[in-house]
Amino acid sequence: MQYGFGKLILFGEHFVVYGLPGIASAIDLYTRARIFPAERGIEATDALVGRHIIFGEKKGDLLDRALGIILGETGLKEKNFRLEIDGNIPTFGGLGSSACLVVAITRELNEYFSLGLNDERINEIAFKTEHVFHATPSGIDNTVSTFRGLVWFEKNMQGGKNTVELLKAKKPLLVVIGNTKISRDTGTVVKEVRGRKEKEPKKFEKIFAEAKELAFEARKALVDGNDEKVGELANKNHKLLQQIGVSSKELDQLCEIALQNGALGAKLTGAGKGGCMFAICRDKKQQEKIKHEFEKQDFEGYITKVGV
Ligand code: PMV
């Protein structure tokens, strides 16, 4: 039994696609993969999305395509087994559920068939497979899902090795994740941003410069354990994401609820246009309160901590 962990992009989503820095942290929401012996062929059931496939029979199915890449990379296409997937991560929520899925499957295959893959290789396979779910993944999701911890990430735009640094936060940051329960497709949102950027290059140039500076400030604030500053920067980052058109009425509403209840800062996380946001809290009591306020408005709330 192996796990892939979810992530929160704390700073820099969308900007990372263009080589700017991003900061993400693993969280304790996960996908779990288990392999059982089977007489013939490969079957997979994903309880998180209610999907069952017989490998190779449903061309175009996302799970089938993802498995095809992982099995191709690991040379296991001819094996017989049954794969069961479950977990507690909301899917299509901006918490990196697709990366969790591919990391969990690859890790489980690695263990079950004693492949001896190291984390570098698991991350590489996960990145290749992420292309099934979104066309131009930056690589940040699979990196955090594989290595966990707090990660500074810069995509290498020349196709070389990405910059991945494990950061050490002074203390964990208490957060509440708010889920709009509105599903969206990361690839589509990324494409829409590209379209806007091409139409308004000057505006985007300015926003990108601010996003870059903000990421460096946020890195320092996280490492120093300056929660107030992290909160302030999260609010600023949310504004930049609004400017590139990826927030939504519901995401803004969740941020507003959190701030009205004393959160240090709040921003959307992941692709936006639905999915999730997070709020930075002073203490456990405030986490509970904000979660409760989210639920009162029919959203979902998850209490977690990041940076550990
Ligand atoms: O929606 P998620 O959690 O898969 O996050 C996507 C993050 C983006 O920066 C929007 C895209 C990417 O590939 O980095």
Side-chain angles (χ1 to χ4, degrees):
M1 172 163 57
Q2 290 290 317
Y3 294 82
F5 287 89
K7 62 91 200 26
L8 270 188
I9 299 185
L10 301 177
F11 293 94
E13 52 272 271
H14 284 290
F15 307 116
V16 288
V17 172
Y18 301 90
L20 299 176
I23 304 175
S25 172
I27 50 173
D28 49 13
L29 296 170
Y30 62 84
T31 297
R32 182 170 70 160
R34 285 175 294 173
I35 293 180
F36 300 92
E39 302 237 313
R40 273 188 58 216
I42 298 171
E43 268 186 58
T45 308
D46 184 350
L48 280 169
V49 290
R51 181 184 276 144
H52 174 79
I53 58 154
I54 295 171
F55 178 60
E57 281 199 356
K58 234 189 189 173
K59 296 270 175 252
D61 176 274
L62 287 182
L63 182 56
D64 191 81
R65 284 173 56 204
L67 255 183
I69 295 177
I70 300 171
L71 295 173
E73 289 289 322
T74 50
L76 297 172
K77 274 193 177 156
E78 304 309 322
K79 297 282 182 192
N80 304 316
F81 61 87
R82 184 164 61 81
L83 172 66
E84 284 193 7
I85 297 148
D86 61 8
N88 63 0
I89 190 157
T91 52
F92 301 108
L95 302 181
S97 58
S98 58
C100 289
L101 175 73
V102 297
V103 169
I105 296 174
T106 311
R107 281 202 187 288
E108 178 67 356
L109 289 167
N110 185 36
E111 188 180 82
Y112 192 83
F113 293 105
S114 306
L115 301 177
L117 308 177
N118 62 15
D119 279 356
E120 286 282 335
R121 178 69 182 130
I122 287 173
N123 193 34
E124 197 179 277
I125 296 172
F127 179 61
K128 281 193 182 155
T129 315
E130 272 278 86
H131 285 81
V132 167
F133 300 95
H134 27 115
T136 53
S138 61
I140 191 167
D141 284 18
N142 49 280
T143 301
V144 179
S145 193
T146 305
F147 296 102
R148 301 189 68 185
L150 184 66
V151 172
W152 172 268
F153 180 89
E154 283 174 62
K155 179 180 174 177
N156 183 320
M157 299 305 282
Q158 275 72 50
K161 229 172 158 9
N162 297 326
T163 303
V164 176
E165 261 183 81
L166 278 176
L167 303 179
K168 204 156 173 41
K170 196 159 185 184
K171 55 181 164 59
L173 200 62
L174 303 180
V175 305
V176 181
I177 297 169
N179 185 2
T180 61
K181 298 192 282 183
I182 297 168
S183 66
R184 80 287 177 277
D185 172 49
T186 297
T188 308
V189 186
V190 169
K191 214 163 128 197
E192 285 167 1
V193 171
R194 190 173 297 276
R196 282 184 213 113
K197 180 177 171 290
E198 274 159 19
K199 264 198 198 136
E200 298 178 279
K202 278 266 159 315
K203 174 180 163 183
F204 271 71
E205 213 176 283
K206 193 167 160 281
I207 296 173
F208 276 25
E210 283 179 51
K212 186 171 178 183
E213 198 183 314
L214 203 146
F216 280 95
E217 281 186 73
R219 174 184 175 136
K220 181 171 181 337
L222 282 162
V223 171
D224 291 349
N226 185 347
D227 294 0
E228 267 84 13
K229 185 73 186 173
V230 176
E232 187 192 303
L233 294 168
N235 290 338
K236 278 194 186 158
N237 196 158
H238 185 71
K239 289 215 169 69
L240 295 181
L241 291 164
Q242 283 175 325
Q243 287 170 30
I244 64 165
V246 298
S247 193
S248 71
K249 185 163 73 47
E250 294 78 9
L251 285 165
D252 290 347
Q253 189 188 345
L254 280 164
C255 290
E256 206 45 52
I257 295 172
L259 294 174
Q260 274 166 7
N261 284 281
L264 296 169
K267 67 177 276 291
L268 72 86
T269 185
K273 283 280 163 207
C276 293
M277 53 68 73
F278 70 91
I280 297 155
C281 300
R282 289 175 195 278
D283 51 38
K284 285 197 173 129
K285 205 167 142 215
Q286 190 174 58
Q287 281 179 303
E288 292 290 349
K289 167 83 176 137
I290 293 175
K291 176 181 186 295
H292 179 69
E293 293 298 326
F294 286 171
E295 287 166 355
K296 258 174 46 188
Q297 303 294 325
D298 207 27
F299 296 115
E300 279 170 4
Y302 303 88
I303 289 180
T304 187
K305 51 182 185 257
V306 299
V308 280

